[in-house]
């Protein structure tokens, strides 16, 4: 009523009071201010009482509307002890921002939650596979593997490796699906910058008309940025593969993944490949 009358100061006082103790009213007030003031965060935050629960709610509100930077900014007004009181909110924000492809902010939330504590921008997480590969639902910025195929398997190998003590082994047992999106990882990058992705590859008894290769994809719109050469047939000792690409201006995260070259609807692949020592470097 006050807003419709143009009595802004009186409206502020009452609406701010409504955000203090009632979660339902709080969200309604934030929504009202968001629309009334043309999505101006400064105006919305004038309604927010300076309390941890209100700031946590405001961080969630922004995340739901794709205002990722404002979400993280409000969340970081809380102390570590206060953040720990709202694990469900922070987990929902981390996943929501990742799903909406706001990768830098999603990474920050994931690190704070301990979901991906070792993930860093412009860095391959666990690039040497010295640590276990967790389940896909337990990471957003670590290795994610295809585990529901009986004719394809991914596992850590402590007997065969290039550097360190381990590598990762991908085994094909007559896998014949035309599409393969395996062993992927999302990495935060800076738009407009150029990069070189390097990794070491070994093959054993690998054969198919549609060989595997590594693909780099713009995580923001799924457009292909670069691909490695197809992997060699047969048995081959360790060799380094380089893939260069530039992140477009609309790209804040890339996805690297193993795919296979097209060879028709029923084209089996058999054999084994090993990966080790992934590294991403900026070249400009």
């Amino acid at each position: 009523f006050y807003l419709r009358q143009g009595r802004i100061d009186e409206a502020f006082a009452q609406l701010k009071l409504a955000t203090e103790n009632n979660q339902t009213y709080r969200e309604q007030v934030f929504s009202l201010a968001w629309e009334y003031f043309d999505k101006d965060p400064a105006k919305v935050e004038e309604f927010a009482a300076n309390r941890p629960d209100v700031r946590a709610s405001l961080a969630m509100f922004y995340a739901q509307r794709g205002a990722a930077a404002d979400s993280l900014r409000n969340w970081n007004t809380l102390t570590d002890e206060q953040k720990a009181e709202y694990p469900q909110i922070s987990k929902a924000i981390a996943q929501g921002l990742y799903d909406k492809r706001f990768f830098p902010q999603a990474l920050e939330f994931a690190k704070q939650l301990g979901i991906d504590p070792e993930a860093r921008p412009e860095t391959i997480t666990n690039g040497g596979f010295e640590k276990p590969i967790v389940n896909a639902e337990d990471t957003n910025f670590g290795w994610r593997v295809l585990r529901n195929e009986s004719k394809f398997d991914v596992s850590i190998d402590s007997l065969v490796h290039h550097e360190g003590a381990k590598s990762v082994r991908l085994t094909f047992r007559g896998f014949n699906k035309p599409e393969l999106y395996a062993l992927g990882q999302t990495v935060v990058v800076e738009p407009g910058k150029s990069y070189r992705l390097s990794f070491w590859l070994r093959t054993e008894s690998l054969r198919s008309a549609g060989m595997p290769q590594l693909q780099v994809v713009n995580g923001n719109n799924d457009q292909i940025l670069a691909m490695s050469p197809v992997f060699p047939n047969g048995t081959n000792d360790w060799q380094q593969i380089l893939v260069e690409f530039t992140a477009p201006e609309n790209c804040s995260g890339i996805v690297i993944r193993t795919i296979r070259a097209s060879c028709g609807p029923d084209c089996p692949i058999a054999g084994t490949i090993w990966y080790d020592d992934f590294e991403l470097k900026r070249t400009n």
Side-chain angles (χ1 to χ4, degrees):
F1 173 80
Y2 284 146
L3 281 178
R4 292 192 186 102
Q5 299 297 315
R7 296 159 66 179
I8 304 299
D9 290 342
E10 293 169 280
F12 271 31
Q14 295 300 321
L15 291 171
K16 186 172 183 177
L17 184 64
T19 69
E20 291 186 3
N21 299 310
N22 188 295
Q23 179 69 31
T24 301
Y25 291 164
R26 182 181 301 160
E27 294 178 1
Q28 292 176 356
V29 169
F30 291 159
S31 295
L32 173 64
W34 182 254
E35 297 300 330
Y36 186 85
F37 294 106
D38 196 25
K39 302 177 176 57
D40 183 348
K43 292 295 186 182
V44 174
E45 289 165 35
E46 290 186 36
F47 292 99
N50 190 24
R51 289 176 20 179
D53 60 326
V54 177
R55 289 293 167 177
S57 297
L58 191 55
M60 173 69 87
F61 173 85
Y62 283 137
Q64 291 171 335
R65 284 151 182 81
D70 292 314
S71 176
L72 181 59
R73 176 175 53 80
N74 274 272
W75 181 255
N76 281 338
T77 64
L78 306 181
T79 66
D80 291 343
E81 292 76 14
Q82 291 168 342
K83 291 174 181 178
E85 296 178 10
Y86 308 103
Q88 295 304 316
I89 289 180
S90 56
K91 187 174 182 179
I93 293 174
Q95 190 61 51
L97 292 178
Y98 181 86
D99 292 343
K100 292 176 182 293
R101 311 192 190 203
F102 293 104
F103 298 117
Q105 294 82 10
L107 173 59
E108 185 60 33
F109 272 99
K111 286 168 58 181
Q112 290 188 25
L113 274 168
I115 297 174
D116 292 299
E118 297 183 357
R120 300 289 184 273
E122 303 180 308
T123 304
I124 305 296
T125 303
N126 193 20
F129 304 98
E130 299 300 310
K131 297 186 177 181
I133 296 176
V134 302
N135 293 327
E137 59 268 22
D138 295 328
T139 180
N140 283 332
F141 296 94
W143 292 112
R144 309 183 80 172
V145 304
L146 179 66
R147 296 189 185 275
N148 58 352
E149 287 288 346
S150 61
K151 296 182 179 181
F152 174 74
D153 179 66
V154 178
S155 59
I156 297 295
D157 193 331
S158 59
L159 300 177
V160 178
H161 45 83
H162 177 254
E163 296 287 349
K166 298 175 183 177
S167 68
V168 67
R169 181 180 65 239
L170 285 68
T171 304
F172 300 91
R173 307 184 188 90
F175 181 90
N176 63 354
K177 292 184 178 180
E179 292 187 345
L180 171 71
Y181 298 111
L183 195 66
Q185 183 174 141
T186 302
V187 184
V188 171
V189 295
E190 187 170 336
K193 299 301 180 181
S194 296
Y195 296 88
R196 178 181 297 116
L197 174 68
S198 65
F199 61 96
W200 288 81
L201 173 75
R202 185 179 187 272
T203 70
E204 183 175 287
S205 302
L206 189 65
R207 59 188 186 276
S208 177
M211 299 297 284
Q213 60 188 139
L214 198 80
Q215 185 181 70
V216 180
V217 177
N218 183 343
N220 294 86
N221 61 10
D222 302 322
Q223 295 297 307
I224 298 171
L225 301 179
M227 290 193 291
S228 75
V230 294
F231 299 162
N233 272 293
T235 299
N236 300 271
D237 202 1
W238 290 106
Q239 56 184 294
Q240 189 179 38
I241 309 294
L242 303 177
V243 181
E244 297 192 350
F245 65 94
T246 298
E249 291 298 331
N250 68 342
C251 176
S252 63
I254 58 166
V255 178
I256 59 174
R257 61 193 184 190
T258 302
I259 63 165
R260 61 180 306 198
S262 177
C263 60
D266 188 11
C267 180
I269 178 173
T272 306
I273 64 175
W274 287 263
Y275 285 131
D276 205 354
D277 299 324
F278 273 84
E279 187 175 23
L280 184 66
K281 287 188 175 181
R282 190 196 289 189
T283 57
N284 77 332

